[in-house]
Amino acid sequence: MIIALLLLFMVFHNASSSSALGTNVAARPDVVNIGAIITFDSVIGKIAKLAIAIAVEDVNSDPEILNGTKLTLKMQNTRSNDFLGIVDLALQFMENDTVAIIGPQFSATARMLSHIANDLKVPLLSFSATDPTLSPVQFPFLVRTTRSDLFQMTAVADLVAFYEWRDVIAIYVDDDFGRNAIAALGDKLAEKRCRISYKVPLKPKATKDDITKALISVSSMESRILIVHIYTNWGLQMFSEAQNLMMMGSGYVWIATDWLSTILDTDHSLPFVATKDIQGVLTLRMYTPESELKTRIQSRWSNLMRGFNGSSFGLNTHGLYAYDSVWLLALAIDSFLARAGNVSFSNDSNVSDLRGGKVCIFNEGSQLVQSILEVNATGVTGPLKFNPDGDLINPAFEVINVIGTGTRTVGYWSNSSGLLVDPPEKSQRKKQSNGSSTSSQQLYSVIWPGQTTQKPRGWVFPENGKKLRIAIVSRVSYHEFVSVKGTDVTGYCVEVFQAALNELPYGVPYKFVLFGDGKVNTEPNELLHKIQTGELDGLVGDITITTSRTKLADFTQPYVESGLVVVAPIRKLNSSAWAFLRPFTPMMWGVTCIFFLVVGAVVWILEHRTNKDFRGPPRKQFVTVVWFSFSTWFFSHKENTVSTLGRFVLIIWLFVVLIINSSYIASLTSILTVEQLSSPIKGIESLATGNDPIGFLNGSFAERYLTDELNIHRSRLVPLNSPEEYEKALEDGPSAGGVAAIVDERTYMELFLSVRCGYSIVGQEFTKMGWGFAFPRDSPLAADMSTALLKLSEKGDLQQIHDKWLRKSACSAQGTKQAVDRLPLKSFWGLFLLSGIACFLALLLHVIRLVHQFYRYSDSDCESSLHGRLRSFVSFVYKREQEEKKSRTKRRRTEKASNKIVHERV
């Protein structure tokens, strides 16, 4: 067959001369010949055969479609594997001046005939060739009048992502139709971070044994999401064998492409056994919007089926697209004849040698193809319009759930909106009315295999699968976390891992693989690389989750919160005779004393003219100000304030004193009653800015953090392997070859300090990290283990395991703590600011009042010089306010009497 095809192509491509044997047909010919290549005995073929005949009848019965021209249809029955027969049928059509061919039905046939169509320039209109690689660039004379599998596989990928599955198994027919569609599915899944974990190709004519072997291999895989893209003639046998193998029960997910919906739409009387085998299956159906034309065609089809003597069959979507293909071709022929007005054929001498000179080439084939692609009409299946890529616009699919003896539509998929519960045209109207799309991806509930509405997890660990290889590191120290004694592996991390496995609803066989010799800690990144390459299936231990490590593997959620801390030697601070000064910093003491004097002076100024307690000789007034100022510390001042402004300033100041006094007492109590510890290192900041050596756990990520993030020179870092080395290095100190401090994770340091009270954590924890279990990227076990850890935490089991293995610090009972930092000025500056503003406002108002009184009560013959007025104002301020008033009144009476005597004399 391959040799025949090559010979045929050589004849076509090596044609060097041709002779025009036909004659030009007059404009608007009475008859235009079209052909159809269909497999009559197939599920799709028998529907398409009748649908095409009905469409030709409808076109010919309407004189307005072709303006008097009639379509003459010739159908040819073919078998998908009859290579030479298909080629021969195609050449037969060209003996009869055929302008276009409806079909072929199968993608492989379409690819083969497209090469012939390119040479004979005859358009092919395929209503069921869905191979996404049939490109109009490679095959310009092939027009796909159905939906490409590229869109169907996009819908399948969206379904997988919608239910948050990751791995799927693809079962497909091993030809162009199956391989290329599954390749498109793989690409679309990859866009959503999903993948095809296992592919099962089947022969185009698979036997029962072939199907059984394929399903047995599938049953041993981890994924339970099965995508089935096969042919209709043996598709139901796939589910029958799956039922026999107990693969149609709970936990499995079966997603069939539109081949299953085609069977269901065609045969409404499937036996009970067949429908029982497909319960809970999801399938897709090419979406065709409801319309009056569609209703009329379906009604006509039903009436036609009643007249059939044999078994009737329903009208499936492929039949609708076959019907529309004829109308599409008729509209294009009408447009073509209106423009070209000529249908002509020519005979090639090389081609004529094959069939006695009867094979002709359609001279205007390219123009007809262009007319087809320019059609813009509405058919039974919806808009008949092509996009620039040669595909029909607005691709959409129904998502169907097989339930009982029928089906239920659980949603729709469209290329523009994704998965929605509304039909595409309805969601489009909502989008236009709202101005934007507000709907999220959604579907109605599904009844899955096993008659359950709970979404399947999508994978299981197979019982006959290999055991997981879980890495365990034999540590040099801190055996509370991981302890290896021969083949016995225990410890906090190991017990948490085993408890989480027990929470899973399925069994996970595993075996521990030991690494390390117990003398040098193994670098965790080395083991993570082994997980990445597939040598290991997991890593259990005290593994810190860092950004760089998440690029190598997937981690569970942290089961231990741990960050880096600084541990340094500490010394006890003995109480001294001057301990009462330690609560405040020197600056705080100084500012407090200044404010005591300032407030006293302000109160004196406000009270001096009206309050006798603030009057007297200068020495007495000075002593009064000092006494009044500092006695407010104890709220024991005996001087009363009578002015409103004085009381305002004093009440604000007493509030400030109350806060300062309470803070002082609390801090002093802590200093005198709790043993104080001190360290020259206050935290990571002081450690980083110095030059002292710093210790860290060998193999820990702390080394990289200190050098990369804190820019500490590597020469200052000292690797240590055990708590004993920690203790010796800290005891020796920098002067004797030791270290000034240790930087390590808090969880380790709490164990280290549990029996070593001469050291302490100084400063704050300066990173926030945690420990988790590592698994390969995209492993579903990581997510399930995270859920299990949450359950352990909620039940309190995680805390019980922690308390069992990780002891609390023995030093914490002694009540020791680091030296309390002195209370600085910045902790109270707001109070001082409030008091200062009160003093300033009171003084300002007092001065304004004094100036007003001075000008009101001053003599009219007062000295006009500035110096004299200032002297008078100072004298006025210093006098007591009541005496000043009496003096002014007496003087005015005297002046009034004098003026009266002078007036009488005159």
Side-chain angles (χ1 to χ4, degrees):
M1 292 190 296
I2 297 176
I3 297 176
L5 178 62
L6 293 175
L7 290 175
L8 184 61
F9 286 164
M10 290 175 62
V11 170
F12 289 155
H13 288 287
N14 294 331
S16 58
S17 63
S18 62
S19 58
L21 300 178
T23 58
N24 289 347
V25 181
R28 287 291 171 186
D30 295 333
V31 175
V32 174
N33 297 323
I34 63 172
I37 298 179
I38 303 171
T39 303
F40 291 167
D41 59 353
S42 66
V43 175
I44 296 175
K46 64 182 180 181
I47 304 296
K49 176 184 176 182
L50 184 56
I52 292 173
I54 294 174
V56 171
E57 180 182 344
D58 291 345
V59 170
N60 289 336
S61 63
D62 189 347
E64 295 183 359
I65 300 299
L66 290 173
N67 294 311
T69 301
K70 301 293 184 180
L71 294 180
T72 298
L73 173 66
K74 183 178 181 181
M75 292 191 185
Q76 295 284 2
N77 184 19
T78 183
R79 291 177 297 176
S80 60
N81 62 342
D82 188 0
F83 178 82
L84 294 178
I86 293 173
V87 173
D88 186 65
L89 290 176
L91 296 178
Q92 286 181 29
F93 279 123
M94 300 315 298
E95 294 179 2
N96 300 318
D97 296 344
T98 302
V99 299
I101 298 175
I102 306 294
Q105 180 179 329
F106 298 99
S107 296
T109 309
R111 181 180 297 275
M112 179 176 56
L113 292 185
S114 293
H115 291 285
I116 300 176
N118 287 348
D119 290 323
L120 299 181
K121 303 187 185 317
V122 180
L124 299 176
L125 285 79
S126 180
F127 56 88
S128 59
T130 56
D131 182 356
T133 63
L134 293 174
S135 168
V137 176
Q138 184 180 7
F139 307 115
F141 285 89
L142 175 63
V143 179
R144 195 200 316 269
T145 58
T146 187
R147 303 300 183 185
S148 168
D149 273 341
L150 176 64
F151 302 112
Q152 181 169 209
M153 294 307 161
T154 304
V156 172
D158 282 353
L159 273 174
V160 173
F162 174 78
Y163 289 110
E164 298 178 344
W165 297 315
R166 288 189 178 181
D167 291 358
V168 303
I169 295 175
I171 304 175
Y172 60 97
V173 60
D174 192 13
D175 61 4
D176 290 348
F177 163 75
R179 286 191 299 268
N180 296 330
I182 295 304
L185 175 62
D187 294 339
K188 293 301 178 180
L189 287 173
E191 293 176 3
K192 302 179 181 301
R193 297 194 65 185
C194 305
R195 68 187 180 108
I196 301 175
S197 60
Y198 187 60
K199 294 182 180 181
V200 185
L202 293 171
K203 295 183 294 186
K205 288 191 174 183
T207 64
K208 179 180 178 180
D209 290 341
D210 295 333
I211 296 173
T212 302
K213 290 179 182 179
L215 292 178
I216 291 175
S217 67
V218 167
S219 65
S220 64
M221 297 294 108
E222 296 182 5
S223 177
R224 286 295 181 260
I225 313 301
L226 297 104
I227 312 299
V228 185
H229 186 63
I230 53 181
Y231 287 134
T232 55
N233 54 346
W234 49 271
L236 291 179
Q237 189 176 0
M238 168 75 68
F239 291 111
S240 176
E241 295 304 317
Q243 184 74 269
N244 295 334
L245 294 173
M246 307 296 290
M247 296 177 63
M248 296 302 299
S250 179
Y252 281 90
V253 175
W254 292 83
I255 301 177
T257 53
D258 63 346
W259 65 267
L260 180 57
S261 63
T262 299
I263 295 176
L264 297 175
D265 292 339
T266 304
D267 191 352
H268 297 299
S269 59
L270 284 175
F272 174 75
V273 175
T275 57
K276 182 181 178 181
D277 293 340
I278 57 176
Q279 293 299 300
V281 176
L282 287 181
T283 183
L284 299 178
R285 175 196 289 145
M286 289 184 286
Y287 174 70
T288 55
E290 297 298 325
S291 64
E292 183 180 350
L293 178 59
K294 179 181 176 181
T295 302
R296 188 166 63 248
I297 294 298
Q298 289 175 333
S299 177
R300 182 180 174 187
W301 186 275
S302 299
N303 295 332
L304 188 62
M305 288 298 102
R306 293 192 186 99
F308 266 58
N309 295 326
S311 59
S312 61
F313 40 84
L315 177 61
N316 57 41
T317 53
H318 289 287
L320 295 176
Y321 278 101
Y323 180 90
D324 270 354
S325 297
V326 176
W327 276 88
L328 179 69
L329 179 58
L331 294 173
I333 290 175
D334 180 64
S335 174
F336 162 72
L337 293 176
R339 287 186 300 182
N342 189 36
V343 177
S344 63
F345 296 86
S346 61
N347 194 351
D348 189 280
S349 59
N350 292 319
V351 176
S352 63
D353 292 340
L354 292 176
R355 296 191 59 84
K358 297 179 180 181
V359 176
C360 301
I361 297 175
F362 183 20
N363 295 329
E364 290 81 22
S366 298
Q367 299 177 38
L368 181 56
V369 169
Q370 188 62 32
S371 296
I372 293 173
L373 297 176
E374 292 175 356
V375 170
N376 186 1
T378 301
V380 179
T381 59
L384 299 178
K385 184 180 179 180
F386 293 91
N387 61 22
D389 295 329
D391 293 313
L392 289 172
I393 63 172
N394 302 334
F397 288 85
E398 292 181 66
V399 183
I400 299 172
N401 185 203
V402 180
I403 304 172
T405 58
T407 61
R408 171 173 172 260
T409 299
V410 296
Y412 301 85
W413 177 90
S414 69
N415 198 38
S416 59
S417 303
L419 295 170
L420 293 174
V421 295
D422 294 324
E425 65 272 11
K426 184 177 180 180
S427 62
Q428 188 66 24
R429 287 195 298 269
K430 287 183 178 180
K431 180 178 179 180
Q432 293 174 354
S433 61
N434 296 334
S436 61
S437 178
T438 57
S439 300
S440 58
Q441 302 285 293
Q442 53 184 318
L443 292 173
Y444 289 119
S445 61
V446 174
I447 297 180
W448 304 99
Q451 300 297 311
T452 177
T453 57
Q454 183 178 4
K455 185 195 77 170
R457 181 176 55 249
W459 80 285
V460 295
F461 196 92
E463 295 181 0
N464 59 346
K466 63 180 181 179
K467 292 184 177 181
L468 292 181
R469 297 159 298 178
I470 305 298
I472 284 287
V473 179
S474 179
R475 293 192 53 86
V476 177
S477 57
Y478 298 119
H479 298 294
E480 292 86 350
F481 298 110
V482 176
S483 176
V484 179
K485 297 179 179 179
T487 59
D488 187 19
V489 180
T490 58
Y492 171 69
C493 299
V494 176
E495 188 165 337
V496 171
F497 174 73
Q498 293 171 338
L501 286 181
N502 293 334
E503 291 292 328
L504 298 178
Y506 51 89
V508 179
Y510 67 92
K511 62 178 180 180
F512 286 131
V513 180
L514 302 182
F515 288 87
D517 54 6
K519 299 179 180 179
V520 178
N521 289 326
T522 303
E523 172 62 41
N525 287 351
E526 296 179 7
L527 302 180
L528 292 176
H529 279 294
K530 291 181 180 293
I531 293 178
Q532 190 179 36
T533 58
E535 297 179 46
L536 293 173
D537 299 309
L539 176 58
V540 171
D542 45 347
I543 309 301
T544 305
I545 305 172
T546 64
T547 303
S548 60
R549 290 175 180 176
T550 56
K551 298 177 181 179
L552 303 175
D554 279 354
F555 285 85
T556 63
Q557 80 150 22
Y559 60 91
V560 170
E561 298 291 340
S562 183
L564 291 178
V565 294
V566 177
V567 171
I570 53 176
R571 60 183 179 85
K572 297 180 180 180
L573 291 177
N574 298 322
S575 298
S576 66
W578 302 100
F580 68 90
L581 295 177
R582 287 171 56 187
F584 290 160
T585 61
M587 178 64 72
M588 178 64 184
W589 279 118
V591 172
T592 302
C593 292
I594 291 173
F595 258 82
F596 271 114
L597 296 175
V598 168
V599 171
V602 170
V603 172
W604 178 83
I605 293 173
L606 298 175
E607 296 288 325
H608 175 69
R609 298 188 73 244
T610 58
N611 193 340
K612 65 179 181 179
D613 291 338
F614 290 88
R615 298 190 62 82
R619 179 179 295 180
K620 178 184 177 182
Q621 294 184 44
F622 175 76
V623 173
T624 299
V625 170
V626 175
W627 166 256
F628 177 82
S629 299
F630 288 99
S631 62
T632 56
W633 176 273
F634 310 102
F635 303 96
S636 61
H637 52 284
K638 64 179 181 178
E639 294 81 7
N640 294 323
T641 52
V642 298
S643 67
T644 302
L645 294 177
R647 291 175 177 176
F648 169 71
V649 170
L650 185 60
I651 195 171
I652 297 296
W653 176 243
L654 290 178
F655 172 73
V656 174
V657 169
L658 175 64
I659 301 300
I660 295 176
N661 194 17
S662 301
S663 302
Y664 175 83
I665 293 174
S667 180
L668 182 62
T669 301
S670 176
I671 291 173
L672 297 178
T673 59
V674 180
E675 184 180 14
Q676 301 295 301
L677 304 175
S678 177
S679 172
I681 298 173
K682 303 302 180 183
I684 189 62
E685 293 83 4
S686 62
L687 186 64
T689 55
N691 295 315
D692 293 330
I694 303 170
F696 69 93
L697 182 63
N698 191 17
S700 168
F701 76 98
E703 178 185 13
R704 181 175 298 178
Y705 183 89
L706 293 174
T707 55
D708 296 347
E709 302 296 332
L710 301 181
N711 297 319
I712 297 176
H713 199 274
R714 195 174 298 273
S715 61
R716 293 180 57 193
L717 303 182
V718 180
L720 304 170
N721 291 308
S722 66
E724 291 72 20
E725 292 186 15
Y726 279 8
E727 186 174 15
K728 184 178 186 305
L730 290 172
E731 286 180 354
D732 293 343
S735 59
V739 297
I742 301 292
V743 174
D744 206 345
E745 295 185 63
R746 175 179 288 275
T747 310
Y748 295 140
M749 292 296 93
E750 287 176 349
L751 278 179
F752 174 79
L753 298 174
S754 63
V755 292
R756 298 172 178 86
C757 301
Y759 312 96
S760 178
I761 296 175
V762 295
Q764 299 296 321
E765 185 176 335
F766 55 93
T767 63
K768 292 292 182 182
M769 297 179 179
W771 294 356
F773 304 127
F775 297 97
R777 294 296 301 271
D778 299 327
S779 170
L781 190 56
D784 283 0
M785 287 291 284
S786 294
T787 303
L789 290 172
L790 284 175
K791 292 180 181 178
L792 290 175
S793 178
E794 292 171 356
K795 294 191 302 182
D797 294 348
L798 203 59
Q799 185 62 43
Q800 292 179 8
I801 299 174
H802 178 276
D803 296 341
K804 173 184 176 181
W805 289 96
L806 308 179
R807 300 185 304 274
K808 293 184 178 180
S809 174
C811 300
S812 60
Q814 300 178 12
T816 59
K817 67 186 189 74
Q818 293 183 46
V820 178
D821 290 335
R822 292 184 169 188
L823 297 175
L825 176 62
K826 66 179 181 180
S827 300
F828 301 93
W829 73 269
L831 294 173
F832 287 124
L833 179 63
L834 178 64
S835 180
I837 292 175
C839 292
F840 174 77
L841 291 176
L843 285 176
L844 180 63
L845 294 175
H846 182 66
V847 171
I848 294 174
R849 181 171 175 268
L850 286 177
V851 173
H852 178 266
Q853 289 178 348
F854 174 72
Y855 279 102
R856 182 178 177 184
Y857 297 108
S858 62
D859 297 332
S860 59
D861 58 348
C862 183
E863 299 181 45
S864 58
S865 64
L866 178 61
H867 182 268
R869 283 186 173 275
L870 288 176
R871 187 172 56 186
S872 298
F873 180 72
V874 172
S875 177
F876 173 79
V877 170
Y878 188 75
K879 289 183 179 180
R880 190 176 180 184
E881 186 172 340
Q882 294 180 355
E883 295 176 355
E884 183 64 26
K885 289 182 179 180
K886 292 179 180 179
S887 176
R888 295 294 179 181
T889 303
K890 182 178 180 180
R891 182 179 299 177
R892 288 178 179 176
R893 289 177 179 176
T894 303
E895 290 177 353
K896 186 176 181 180
S898 300
N899 291 336
K900 184 176 180 181
I901 295 173
V902 172
H903 180 70
E904 290 176 353
R905 290 179 178 178
V906 174

